[in-house]
Amino acid sequence: MANVETALKETLATIDGAIGAALVDYGSGMALGTIGGGKDLDLTVAAAGNTDVVRAKVRTMEMLGLKDEIEDILITLGTQYHLIRLMKSRDSKGFFLYLALDRGRANLAMARHQLTKIEAELEI
């Protein structure tokens, strides 16, 4: 099992095109850890903003009576992909992994696959 810091480092090291990553508590909107980012990608702001996205989608699913689980949420920009992966294990409910990718260098399918593996190994 990997801790937060190790998992985030692995995210940037193993996913082509990764710009930044964060583990976020969507109850509070606080990032438990971040890596990467920079002046053009403030991961603390992204964590808080994407918390609103997750909460809205969870609320919408409840209102629709959908009994399914969100795997991930994809936001496609002109030059980037933003991937939000809701964590599912009992100990990690209420958390999501956030990954920003350079669209020109990333393979979205492989990024999703790798993020799933990282989630499975992560211990919170």
Side-chain angles (χ1 to χ4, degrees):
M1 288 295 199
N3 67 21
V4 173
E5 181 180 354
T6 302
L8 292 176
K9 284 180 181 176
E10 182 180 349
T11 301
L12 280 194
T14 61
I15 299 177
D16 290 338
I19 301 168
L23 175 66
V24 183
D25 174 348
Y26 68 82
S28 68
M30 300 295 295
L32 282 80
T34 63
I35 191 166
K39 68 179 181 75
D40 294 331
L41 180 62
D42 184 331
L43 292 170
T44 305
V45 172
N50 286 309
T51 295
D52 292 337
V53 171
V54 170
R55 287 177 184 163
K57 188 60 189 172
V58 168
R59 202 170 39 251
T60 301
M61 288 182 62
E62 288 171 357
M63 290 186 311
L64 291 171
L66 297 176
K67 303 294 184 210
D68 212 343
E69 290 184 339
I70 300 169
E71 287 184 10
D72 50 41
I73 299 168
L74 173 64
I75 299 168
T76 309
L77 305 177
T79 60
Q80 296 178 355
Y81 294 124
H82 291 223
L83 189 57
I84 301 166
R85 173 122 190 123
L86 275 69
M87 299 187 65
K88 295 188 181 11
S89 75
R90 188 171 35 135
D91 296 338
S92 62
K93 285 226 184 248
F95 296 95
F96 66 86
L97 285 164
Y98 167 71
L99 175 63
L101 299 159
D102 178 316
R103 188 171 173 166
R105 296 185 302 128
N107 177 322
L108 186 56
M110 288 303 297
R112 290 183 68 220
H113 176 73
Q114 191 64 28
L115 202 57
T116 300
K117 285 175 51 179
I118 291 166
E119 173 201 357
E121 297 170 1
L122 180 60
E123 184 175 293
I124 300 176

